[in-house]
Amino acid sequence: MTIRSSPYASGPPPPGGKAAHQGRNPLIRGSDRVEYWLRRVLLAVLVVGLPLAGIVVGRTAYESSLHTARTQSAERQQVRARVLSVTENVGQTVKERARVRWTDGAGTVRTATALLKPDAAAGDTVRVWVNRDGAVTGPPLTNHQAVANGWFMGGMTVLSVTAGVFLTGAGVRLVLDRSRYARWDAEWELVEPRWAGRFRR
């Protein structure tokens, strides 16, 4: 290494030699260390916690929905019913309310209001879902819907955790910057009079 390229060309090396050069940087502030470790923690959350949270929440939602689907499938059944009258026709693209009548497994004739396709008319035979009490209800949740619920909840968890990580980082950075600027202003108020006095001489 030539004198021109030497890092100590303008004077002798600092005391302690190479060990001192590799020691703690005196220019690093406490807030810099806080921000450094915060970034490491948030990075660990993104790398490890993010996929883990998505998998756990998604699987939990899937298993819960699957249990609901099995329970509903066991408690609900389809029956053939005759449309007595259409009580409310709300358009050609949505379902309409109609009075229907059917006979349950015990031979009891039941009448209720159900939501049918918009093209249903009095006298038609339709299929409606009923529960164990004989009340008209909706169709049970399907396995495909359970899978979709799991993916949806897992995806929402990933988005929420990601947004939380970035908002936390931005918020802490904002607080640290305000603290740094406040300390800078306070230190400058002490140094500025002496600095400016050098130029009045």
Side-chain angles (χ1 to χ4, degrees), residues 157-178:
T157 300
V158 169
L159 291 178
S160 299
V161 172
T162 302
V165 166
F166 282 101
L167 289 176
T168 299
V172 173
R173 178 64 181 272
L174 179 62
V175 172
L176 292 177
D177 283 343
R178 288 183 176 179

Side-chain angles (χ1 to χ4, degrees), residues 4 8 24 26 41 49 54 56 69 71 75 83 91 97 113 122 132 160 169 178 186 192 194:
R4 181 181 298 275
Y8 308 119
R24 178 177 296 180
V41 170
V56 170
T71 301
E75 295 177 345
V83 179
R97 293 183 182 275
T113 300
R132 290 178 177 177
S160 299
R178 288 183 176 179
E192 192 274 337
R194 289 181 292 176

Side-chain angles (χ1 to χ4, degrees), residues 55-123:
I55 292 174
V56 170
V57 173
R59 184 169 184 81
T60 301
Y62 164 72
E63 292 177 349
S64 177
S65 299
L66 189 61
H67 175 73
T68 300
R70 291 171 178 171
T71 301
Q72 291 180 350
S73 296
E75 295 177 345
R76 302 177 185 184
Q77 61 176 340
Q78 269 191 323
V79 297
R80 296 177 65 86
R82 181 173 295 277
V83 179
L84 299 178
S85 62
V86 177
T87 59
E88 182 182 1
N89 193 325
V90 292
Q92 297 299 317
T93 58
V94 294
K95 293 184 177 181
E96 59 189 12
R97 293 183 182 275
R99 295 291 293 176
V100 296
R101 183 175 60 198
W102 74 96
T103 302
D104 62 18
T108 303
V109 177
R110 296 179 178 273
T111 303
T113 300
L115 290 176
L116 306 177
K117 295 181 179 180
D119 57 353

